Amino acid sequence: MATATPPTTGAGEPSRTLALLWGDPSATPRRKGPGRSVTVEQVVDAALALADEHGLAAVTMRAVAEAVGVSAMSVYTYVPGKAELLDLMVDTLYLRMPRPAWRASEWRTRLTRVAEANRELLTSHPWMTEVAALSRPPLGPGVLGKYEHELAAFDGTGLTDLDTDAALTYLLGFVQSHVRSAHDAARATTDTAMSDAQWWEANQPVLAQAFDPQTYPRSVRIGRAAGEAQGSAWNADSAWDFGLDRTLDGLAALIDRL
Amino acid sequence: MATATPPTTGAGEPSRTLALLWGDPSATPRRKGPGRSVTVEQVVDAALALADEHGLAAVTMRAVAEAVGVSAMSVYTYVPGKAELLDLMVDTLYLRMPRPAWRASEWRTRLTRVAEANRELLTSHPWMTEVAALSRPPLGPGVLGKYEHELAAFDGTGLTDLDTDAALTYLLGFVQSHVRSAHDAARATTDTAMSDAQWWEANQPVLAQAFDPQTYPRSVRIGRAAGEAQGSAWNADSAWDFGLDRTLDGLAALIDRL
DNA sequence: GCAGTACACCGTACAATGTACAATGTACTG
DNA sequence: CAGTACATTGTACATTGTACGGTGTACTGC
């Protein structure tokens, strides 16, 4: 960051990002200067590989540049800045998601597929939960195609247009929230190189005094119960099943009422 | 970041953070050396003020130091590092939340209050959605007190301990996800100094081609409908009402079934 | 009262980041 | 063939968290 003010995305030419996202139709017949050594797609793929293998923090302009074999500053001739690169990464992955036709007649089955597909995507690319916004995504072909496909899963539910949109956002919000929690939990045990049990053991003296059953009766009881039942205070698969059932039941109250 | 490896939190002495969170009972009778110029609480409050007024990015160790009137490095005699400072900030705000007794007899009313209290907190301190983890929070008195209080809202629902915990996490997940979206949407219009309408206008040429009603029939129809109905593609209050109703209905399917 | 020591405080320094800027060279247009 | 637009690059700068070592202070043991 060069300045203290928040980095403005593509200041001056707001459509530059959109042109990039939509593949810039007037790009093929280039005019002057030397040929480009790589392609935007290669740059984005390199960034994706870095993020998947070493986390979002590993996606630096220099690292991306080295991965594609150009200097750091050359990356800026392909993308206006890092923010736009991240947008492209997200849209690219959205674009590559499979879009099978909705055969199932039950809306619950279709929405379960939607949720599971998103869970898989975010689990394979955990950094996306730190980047992908639900309410103001980059309007690229990936985002739009995904949106259209997932909206189609609501066909036949009888929901209004506005309710369909709200329902989809709600469903995706659950998935994102869940994967984010799962990722946080996994990272906590991973990068401290300390299991739940070890951590608990090491902090026994402080915790014994803090976790007073008189002051926090429910917390202590539930903490113990959760630990015994699922080996840890938080189990990803249990939470997923619980949350998805609740979400679909919540939507059922709207859909099946009609 | 001094090294390329991820910063380990309190390496060597894992209970240091906990001692800080719980107010370090053996801290009052200090032994040697000069008296401390400020207190941990002052440091945390300064960091909170910075985050609230200028966003999370404004919370730098130097800025915090200057705000309390010490040098940058002196902050490290109060907190082990920035990660711990953020933990303290979160726990402090949790600790200060009001905890009114649960008078309402209807569980839906009580859970609505829980959701609204969290929405208010996160809306007043939007940076918390970037920091606060649902699944592995800092185990301080604020987190624990809040947890206990919110668990109590489920008294009388007949849920098992495990289900109560899962239900609370689910409810809070919705709130966090919602506020995050609202924050993203607000920031998008704010720091580009461009309204929804202006943005749409400026990108008309590209968008007209991209938003093809043949390829994306539902998206185009719904985008238009949303824009006309609520002036923007995403309306925070509508989304809140929708989501909260769905969440409570989803839980009702579990609770009222008993 | 004095020596010793533990600790608060601070200045300096370093590695890493995004990216502005200006120089250099290339390949197309007239 | 001259001119120019553009890809590529090295250097540079501001900003970040924090490691390190020096300095002075106030308490402990004699």
Side-chain angles (χ1 to χ4, degrees):
Chain A
M1 221 68 68
T3 65
T5 55
T8 53
T9 321
E13 23 188 353
S15 62
R16 172 78 191 279
T17 311
L18 280 179
L20 262 177
L21 284 166
W22 289 94
D24 198 20
S26 65
T28 339
R30 256 191 351 285
R31 321 285 289 223
K32 297 191 176 180
R36 327 205 66 177
S37 17
V38 293
T39 65
V40 177
E41 205 183 344
Q42 281 176 293
V43 171
V44 175
D45 278 336
L48 284 172
L50 283 170
D52 286 345
E53 283 172 42
H54 303 108
L56 196 59
V59 182
T60 70
M61 298 304 266
R62 290 175 229 271
V64 173
E66 191 179 13
V68 297
V70 300
S71 83
M73 288 314 293
S74 288
V75 177
Y76 287 91
T77 65
Y78 295 90
V79 294
K82 194 182 182 183
E84 289 80 2
L85 177 57
L86 293 174
D87 281 351
L88 283 171
M89 291 165 67
V90 169
D91 196 74
T92 299
L93 287 190
Y94 281 169
L95 193 58
R96 290 178 187 163
M97 286 178 81
R99 317 222 196 281
W102 299 115
R103 306 176 173 282
S105 56
E106 281 280 325
W107 64 263
R108 283 185 83 108
T109 310
R110 297 196 301 270
L111 294 203
T112 301
R113 298 264 162 77
V114 170
E116 285 171 346
N118 278 276
R119 186 193 186 194
E120 257 172 60
L121 178 76
L122 295 181
T123 305
S124 312
H125 314 283
W127 52 269
M128 286 190 80
T129 60
E130 302 168 46
V131 165
L134 282 177
S135 72
R136 229 13 142 78
L139 283 184
V143 167
L144 230 59
K146 174 175 185 284
Y147 183 45
E148 181 71 21
H149 180 250
E150 290 171 346
L151 283 177
F154 287 82
D155 283 355
T157 54
L159 291 178
T160 67
D161 280 352
L162 255 59
D163 277 353
T164 301
D165 180 50
L168 177 57
T169 303
Y170 180 67
L171 178 65
L172 297 182
F174 158 67
V175 176
Q176 180 142 341
S177 178
H178 168 87
V179 177
R180 218 154 100 88
S181 286
H183 183 217
D184 285 350
R187 205 176 24 172
T189 52
T190 296
D191 68 21
T192 62
M194 192 180 269
S195 75
D196 264 23
Q198 280 176 321
W199 183 88
W200 200 267
E201 189 69 23
N203 300 25
Q204 187 59 29
V206 194
L207 285 175
Q209 197 175 3
F211 273 52
D212 177 21
Q214 301 286 329
T215 326
Y216 311 107
R218 298 169 186 82
S219 309
V220 171
R221 181 159 40 88
I222 288 183
R224 209 187 318 269
E228 285 168 7
Q230 42 205 22
S232 160
W234 198 83
N235 179 274
D237 287 333
S238 312
W240 172 261
D241 291 340
F242 183 95
L244 184 55
D245 284 351
R246 286 320 106 230
T247 303
L248 295 181
D249 284 351
L251 292 175
L254 194 66
I255 294 173
D256 294 337
R257 179 201 300 160
L258 305 174
Chain B
M1 220 70 67
T3 65
T5 56
T8 53
T9 321
E13 23 188 352
S15 63
R16 172 78 192 279
T17 310
L18 280 179
L20 262 176
L21 283 166
W22 289 94
D24 198 20
S26 65
T28 338
R30 258 190 351 283
R31 320 287 289 226
K32 296 192 175 179
R36 329 205 63 179
S37 17
V38 293
T39 65
V40 177
E41 204 183 344
Q42 282 176 294
V43 171
V44 175
D45 279 336
L48 284 172
L50 283 170
D52 287 344
E53 283 172 43
H54 303 107
L56 196 60
V59 182
T60 69
M61 297 305 265
R62 289 164 173 64
V64 173
E66 190 178 14
V68 296
V70 299
S71 85
M73 289 315 293
S74 290
V75 177
Y76 287 89
T77 65
Y78 295 90
V79 294
K82 194 183 182 183
E84 289 79 2
L85 176 57
L86 293 174
D87 281 351
L88 283 170
M89 291 166 68
V90 169
D91 197 75
T92 299
L93 288 189
Y94 281 169
L95 193 58
R96 291 178 187 163
M97 285 178 82
R99 315 224 198 280
W102 298 114
R103 305 175 174 282
S105 56
E106 281 280 326
W107 64 264
R108 284 185 83 109
T109 310
R110 297 197 300 271
L111 293 203
T112 301
R113 298 265 162 77
V114 170
E116 286 171 347
N118 278 276
R119 186 193 186 193
E120 258 172 61
L121 178 76
L122 295 181
T123 305
S124 312
H125 313 282
W127 53 270
M128 286 190 79
T129 61
E130 301 168 46
V131 164
L134 281 176
S135 73
R136 231 4 145 84
L139 282 184
V143 167
L144 230 60
K146 174 175 185 286
Y147 183 45
E148 180 72 21
H149 180 250
E150 290 172 344
L151 283 177
F154 287 82
D155 283 354
T157 54
L159 290 177
T160 66
D161 280 352
L162 256 58
D163 278 352
T164 301
D165 181 50
L168 177 57
T169 303
Y170 180 67
L171 179 65
L172 297 182
F174 157 67
V175 177
Q176 181 142 340
S177 178
H178 168 88
V179 178
R180 218 154 99 89
S181 287
H183 183 218
D184 285 350
R187 206 176 23 171
T189 52
T190 296
D191 68 22
T192 62
M194 191 180 270
S195 76
D196 264 22
Q198 281 175 321
W199 184 88
W200 200 267
E201 189 69 23
N203 299 28
Q204 188 58 31
V206 193
L207 286 175
Q209 196 174 5
F211 273 53
D212 175 22
Q214 301 286 328
T215 326
Y216 311 107
R218 298 170 187 81
S219 309
V220 172
R221 181 159 40 87
I222 288 183
R224 207 187 318 269
E228 285 168 7
Q230 42 206 22
S232 159
W234 198 83
N235 179 275
D237 287 332
S238 312
W240 172 261
D241 291 340
F242 183 95
L244 184 56
D245 284 350
R246 286 319 106 230
T247 303
L248 295 181
D249 283 352
L251 292 174
L254 193 67
I255 295 174
D256 293 338
R257 179 201 299 161
L258 306 174

